[in-house]
Amino acid sequence: MFFLRFIRYLHGYVKFKAQGAFIERFLNLAARDRIPVWDGRKRGAVYTGHTSAGAYRKLRPHARKSGVRIHVVEKQGLPFKRRRYKNRRGLLVGFLLFLSFIFLTSRFIWRVEVSGNERVPESEIIAVLEKNGVTPGAMRSSIDVRGAERRILMALEDLSWIALNIKGGTVHAVVRERDLMPPMVDPNMPCNIVAARSGQIMSMIVYEGQALKAVGDAVLEGDIIVSGITEDRLGQNLFRHARAKVMARVQHQIIVETPLVQNEFVETGEIKTRRFFHVFGWDLPLFLPRKIPFPYHVDRSQRLLQIAGKELPAGIFTERYVLMKEQEVTYTENEAQNMALHTLEILRKTQLDGAEIIDKAITGRVKDGVFVLKADYICDMDIASERRILLSNE
Amino acid sequence: MTRKNGRRRAPAQNDEDFSRNTLDKLNHAFDIPQSSLLGNTQIELSGNREAIVDGCHGILEYDENTIKLAAGKMSVRFTGRGLQIKVLTPDSAVIEGFISNIEFIS
């Protein structure tokens, strides 16, 4: 039904009224002459119906013959609309421009999306894609999909598979990451297990080699715990790659010094803003070039145009320069302590990574204008460290 | 009526009857729908709202409550409310409205 209406709209049709005593005869004559008449309704002596724009004229002789008067009530369809806009060339030009814009823009890549990555950052994949020509603004036809996939896999060793699916103006890069190989243990390289820190051994699992220390023994940093040199039944020395897990209770101290008086950069309150029009990776400045006095820190923000919730590769990039000046700042003991605790937390995470903290004692005091924070930890950690045995013939 | 070879020729009416009878027999023999060979009027109803009449040869009477169509040797009268002829072609018509009665008049 929709197509029928659409075709009628394309050809144009008229709604007409017929009045007279012999409507039936008029309709019969029209039907016999194969004049299409539809959606007819008769009320009293008045008949209202529709016919195609071209066929209306053919109705007139039949109306005369049957003594019926007909007249047009309404004209509808494309030919009548076209006649109405005949002198408005601008509309046609605008429509053609719109069509050419759609045609041209559909030949470019507008978005690049990456999915399936966990370890490899999206920015890294997008950078490699860009190097291989898969970037917003590139011509769709210029992308060698298979070649780009091969080159990207060679560039990113952590990827085991990639598929570039181009759908409209969007490239979907679907990736699979490679399973990482466990570190190789070279059995031919003889080594001992030595203590990485001083402490008391709490538990020990020896996978390879001969244990020289037992659980409960105290060790100093560098002491051999498991030897890579073993003896066979005949008394001959065998060189092995010793492996072990040695959990020991160790003491660890971290000292953080925070001067109460420091030179720092503080905001002057003056802010300068620069805007760029970003399109297909190009930034067009929307400002007059003027030097911004150093020091400052910059915040960048972007607002991309969106269509139906999808971001387009065009929009406004804003750089916000917050001007700063160097100034002597005096901190109170409390402020210095908070800063020192923050630094201590960062240091603890790096120095005691993987360790189980059993006890800790943190003390702080001001000495010569410096807040000194001292943290003493007692913790259990793996102190096994491989040390290669250097043989004389090597 | 005689031909040159002296054999008698049947009148036109008898010819028509003869072919009709033959087609009728064929219809029965092969169980073919009547309308396909005999060209009878075929009426297809969609509930009481629409009737598609195939093989009608014109409108005899038309108003909101009655539509009478010529269908070969007989005529068909549809009565009801708000009746209208939606489509009309030389040999078919589509009637819409609340049809309450269909009458065959020969």
Side-chain angles (χ1 to χ4, degrees):
Chain A
M1 199 62 195
F2 168 78
F3 285 105
L4 188 64
R5 279 185 188 167
F6 180 66
I7 289 165
R8 282 173 182 169
Y9 179 83
L10 285 182
H11 285 99
Y13 60 93
V14 293
K15 187 179 178 183
F16 67 95
K17 249 182 194 174
Q19 229 169 337
F22 304 105
I23 297 291
E24 291 87 349
R25 183 171 150 74
F26 164 68
L27 290 175
N28 286 336
L29 287 171
R32 217 161 289 165
D33 203 11
R34 299 194 178 273
I35 298 170
V37 177
W38 67 89
D39 285 351
R41 187 176 280 274
K42 196 183 169 204
R43 290 221 170 130
V46 180
Y47 173 84
T48 316
H50 296 81
T51 189
S52 61
Y56 180 73
R57 280 185 186 174
K58 291 186 197 168
L59 281 177
R60 290 199 173 279
H62 301 310
R64 265 199 303 276
K65 212 181 279 181
S66 52
V68 169
R69 281 191 300 121
I70 56 169
H71 64 271
V72 175
V73 177
E74 214 175 286
K75 292 175 182 174
Q76 279 180 353
L78 195 64
F80 299 113
K81 285 255 162 67
R82 203 175 54 194
R83 208 171 292 167
R84 198 184 300 167
Y85 296 113
K86 200 176 164 185
N87 294 325
R88 301 175 73 171
R89 298 275 158 89
L91 277 177
L92 181 71
V93 173
F95 182 67
L96 290 176
L97 279 175
F98 173 73
L99 282 185
S100 44
F101 174 75
I102 294 288
F103 176 75
L104 279 175
T105 50
S106 65
R107 302 186 68 76
F108 289 97
I109 297 298
W110 285 76
R111 281 166 59 80
V112 177
E113 289 175 354
V114 178
S115 63
N117 57 318
E118 285 175 8
R119 289 193 318 273
V120 185
E122 191 174 320
S123 55
E124 196 178 324
I125 298 171
I126 285 180
V128 178
L129 285 168
E130 203 173 323
K131 264 187 200 167
N132 287 282
V134 186
T135 179
M139 288 275 282
R140 279 179 54 171
S141 54
S142 71
I143 296 174
D144 168 22
V145 174
R146 299 284 163 261
E149 284 173 353
R150 268 199 308 275
R151 287 192 296 274
I152 291 161
L153 281 182
M154 282 166 75
L156 293 169
E157 286 185 348
D158 280 351
L159 298 187
S160 63
W161 179 82
I162 186 167
L164 297 176
N165 303 317
I166 301 176
K167 196 176 172 190
T170 307
V171 177
H172 296 274
V174 186
V175 300
R176 291 284 175 274
E177 288 173 351
R178 196 182 295 280
D179 290 327
L180 291 177
M181 265 201 320
M184 288 284 285
V185 175
D186 183 4
N188 297 322
M189 188 187 80
C191 65
N192 295 320
I193 296 294
V194 298
R197 288 166 184 269
S198 301
Q200 187 184 13
I201 296 171
M202 303 303 288
S203 69
M204 194 161 69
I205 304 168
V206 179
Y207 303 113
E208 187 80 62
Q210 190 175 351
L212 301 182
K213 302 282 181 187
V215 173
D217 287 355
V219 288
L220 290 172
E221 188 178 334
D223 282 357
I224 296 174
I225 303 171
V226 179
S227 172
I229 303 167
T230 55
E231 270 187 9
D232 65 2
R233 277 185 224 162
L234 302 171
Q236 281 184 329
N237 284 338
L238 295 172
F239 296 97
R240 296 186 185 280
H241 185 113
R243 290 184 301 120
K245 184 179 179 182
V246 183
M247 294 301 289
R249 185 151 294 175
V250 298
Q251 283 184 343
H252 188 77
Q253 189 179 59
I254 301 173
I255 297 171
V256 182
E257 292 183 346
T258 311
L260 294 177
V261 180
Q262 290 182 26
N263 278 342
E264 280 202 350
F265 289 104
V266 291
E267 292 178 7
T268 60
E270 200 181 342
I271 295 167
K272 291 195 183 292
T273 308
R274 282 180 164 182
R275 287 192 175 84
F276 298 87
F277 179 65
H278 176 86
V279 60
F280 288 135
W282 295 335
D283 291 335
L284 307 171
L286 302 174
F287 54 88
L288 294 172
R290 276 187 200 146
K291 206 176 172 187
I292 295 174
F294 197 77
Y296 51 76
H297 77 83
V298 192
D299 296 328
R300 284 171 214 274
S301 61
Q302 59 181 45
R303 221 170 65 192
L304 295 174
L305 297 173
Q306 290 188 342
I307 291 180
K310 296 266 181 186
E311 283 185 346
L312 301 178
I316 301 290
F317 278 21
T318 309
E319 283 183 352
R320 201 164 155 271
Y321 291 81
V322 181
L323 301 189
M324 309 192 86
K325 62 178 178 188
E326 200 172 4
Q327 193 178 294
E328 200 175 79
V329 182
T330 308
Y331 292 105
T332 62
E333 193 179 327
N334 218 9
E335 286 171 335
Q337 185 183 0
N338 287 338
M339 286 164 67
L341 283 171
H342 180 71
T343 314
L344 175 71
E345 191 56 26
I346 296 166
L347 291 173
R348 186 191 64 77
K349 275 182 187 163
T350 52
Q351 292 179 18
L352 298 177
D353 184 33
E356 187 193 346
I357 293 167
I358 308 297
D359 194 16
K360 66 177 175 183
I362 299 173
T363 55
R365 65 191 176 95
V366 178
K367 189 182 172 188
D368 300 333
V370 178
F371 185 84
V372 182
L373 189 78
K374 208 179 273 181
D376 291 298
Y377 293 96
I378 294 175
C379 53
D380 286 352
M381 63 191 299
D382 188 2
I383 59 164
S385 170
E386 286 180 5
R387 184 169 293 170
R388 195 172 169 192
I389 302 168
L390 294 169
L391 301 174
S392 58
N393 57 356
E394 277 186 56
Chain B
M1 195 182 283
T2 52
R3 283 189 177 175
K4 281 181 185 170
N5 58 12
R7 286 169 66 183
R8 283 173 67 84
R9 188 184 165 198
Q13 184 67 38
N14 289 348
D15 271 355
E16 199 180 307
D17 283 348
F18 173 75
S19 59
R20 255 191 110 75
N21 286 336
T22 315
L23 288 171
D24 206 11
K25 279 176 189 169
L26 270 171
N27 267 341
H28 276 102
F30 293 105
D31 208 12
I32 302 167
Q34 291 254 331
S35 58
S36 56
L37 286 179
L38 294 173
N40 282 352
T41 307
Q42 199 176 354
I43 301 175
E44 192 182 320
L45 286 168
S46 301
N48 68 338
R49 301 299 299 269
E50 189 185 75
I52 301 167
V53 186
D54 249 343
C56 91
H57 306 299
I59 309 165
L60 300 173
E61 193 185 336
Y62 181 17
D63 63 45
E64 273 182 285
N65 303 318
T66 311
I67 291 175
K68 191 173 167 187
L69 301 174
K73 286 184 175 175
M74 59 178 176
S75 54
V76 190
R77 180 190 279 147
F78 294 86
T79 45
R81 282 183 289 119
L83 298 180
Q84 58 165 314
I85 298 172
K86 198 162 168 61
V87 181
L88 183 68
T89 65
D91 53 2
S92 67
V94 179
I95 294 167
E96 247 188 25
F98 287 91
I99 301 164
S100 55
N101 193 24
I102 301 173
E103 201 179 337
F104 296 91
I105 305 154
S106 50

